Amino acid sequence: MPNLLLIDDHTIVRSGMKMIIENFLPHCNIDEAEDGDAAFEKIKQNDYDLLILDINMPGTDTLDLISKILALKPGSKILMLSMNSEEIYAKRYLNAGAMGYVRKDSPEQEIKKAVTNVLANKKYISEALAEKLTNELNIRHNSDNPFDRLSPREIQIVHHLVCGDSLSEISRILVLKSSTVGTHKARIFEKLYCSNIIDLSTLAKLHNVMNTS
């Protein structure tokens, strides 16, 4: 009987995912956590066969949480759950140590496939993303997406900036100094040749980066 931990700040998302998973894993045990701190405490106290982790949660630095989880329990299997652009985010979280990435609006069968693959110690990305990655390798061209120039942290900050969060709010959510966030913002603008948030938002929309929940 597999033990799962579902980590998401939205109760309705946790309930929906729990219902889907219990349909094909009726005897599994599913614990829930609404943020990174609560999740980490549960992970310290219990051994889970699968962690299903939302990317965007208030007060939670998801990349840092993944690092802490894998340092504490290196064999942890982590499946990322999000509405963010798969093409931009999936590769970054897989590189950080997650084993799979599935969108919240995926069909039930795809969610089932993602969960069962990662439980079986196999990596999972959607067929659409796999095809895109294969095409990239076959064509062997340099990416024309300017957001590929950004680090995972910078991509996180782009998300919050485009969503209208202030530097102080981003500082609180990502547990960073305001000056550090300001430095990241300046570097983002420099790398993307943007002069203001309107430019950044327009560019993000153009490259289908901000597809958020």
Side-chain angles (χ1 to χ4, degrees), residues 14 20 30 33-34 39 46-48 52 64 93 96 111 114 144-146 167 174 178 184 195 205 209:
R14 296 199 305 271
I20 290 172
I30 303 178
E34 63 181 12
N46 303 283
D47 290 325
Y48 292 103
I52 301 176
D64 183 59
Y93 280 91
I111 292 172
D144 59 355
N145 188 330
L167 294 187
L174 298 184
S178 293
H184 279 302
S195 57
K205 186 177 294 186
V209 172

Side-chain angles (χ1 to χ4, degrees), residues 31-167:
D31 287 343
E32 299 179 36
E34 63 181 12
D35 58 37
D37 290 340
F40 196 65
E41 287 303 311
K42 287 182 180 288
I43 292 165
K44 285 194 291 187
Q45 297 168 16
N46 303 283
D47 290 325
Y48 292 103
D49 299 293
L50 176 64
L51 307 172
I52 301 176
L53 175 59
D54 180 27
I55 283 180
N56 294 306
M57 293 180 290
T60 298
D61 180 341
T62 314
L63 287 170
D64 183 59
L65 178 60
I66 292 173
S67 177
K68 287 169 59 179
I69 290 170
L70 294 176
L72 178 68
K73 296 189 175 180
S76 296
K77 300 169 186 173
I78 304 172
L79 173 64
M80 304 308 298
L81 180 68
S82 182
M83 282 295 291
N84 290 326
S85 174
E86 185 181 39
E87 188 175 356
I88 295 295
Y89 285 84
K91 291 183 284 185
R92 299 176 191 277
Y93 280 91
L94 292 172
N95 288 337
M99 291 186 63
Y101 187 107
V102 66
R103 286 175 55 92
K104 292 180 182 180
D105 59 353
S106 298
E108 184 172 337
Q109 281 302 112
E110 186 172 339
I111 292 172
K112 175 182 177 180
K113 186 175 180 181
V115 169
T116 53
N117 273 30
V118 177
L119 272 173
N121 209 30
K122 300 175 183 176
K123 291 201 172 185
Y124 178 81
I125 55 173
S126 72
E127 291 183 8
L129 180 59
E131 185 176 346
K132 286 180 182 177
L133 294 179
T134 301
N135 288 338
E136 285 180 15
L137 289 173
N138 289 338
I139 297 172
R140 297 187 180 213
H141 69 284
N142 293 325
S143 172
D144 59 355
N145 188 330
F147 289 90
D148 283 344
R149 304 171 196 154
L150 305 186
S151 68
R153 173 72 77 194
E154 289 167 343
I155 284 288
Q156 277 187 312
I157 291 173
V158 165
H159 166 81
H160 290 290
L161 289 171
V162 173
C163 286
D165 294 336
S166 66
L167 294 187

Side-chain angles (χ1 to χ4, degrees), residues 8-26:
D8 194 293
D9 58 311
H10 293 104
T11 304
I12 191 167
V13 173
R14 296 199 305 271
S15 297
M17 285 295 296
K18 193 171 183 179
M19 187 179 301
I20 290 172
I21 293 168
E22 287 175 341
N23 281 340
F24 63 89
L25 292 175

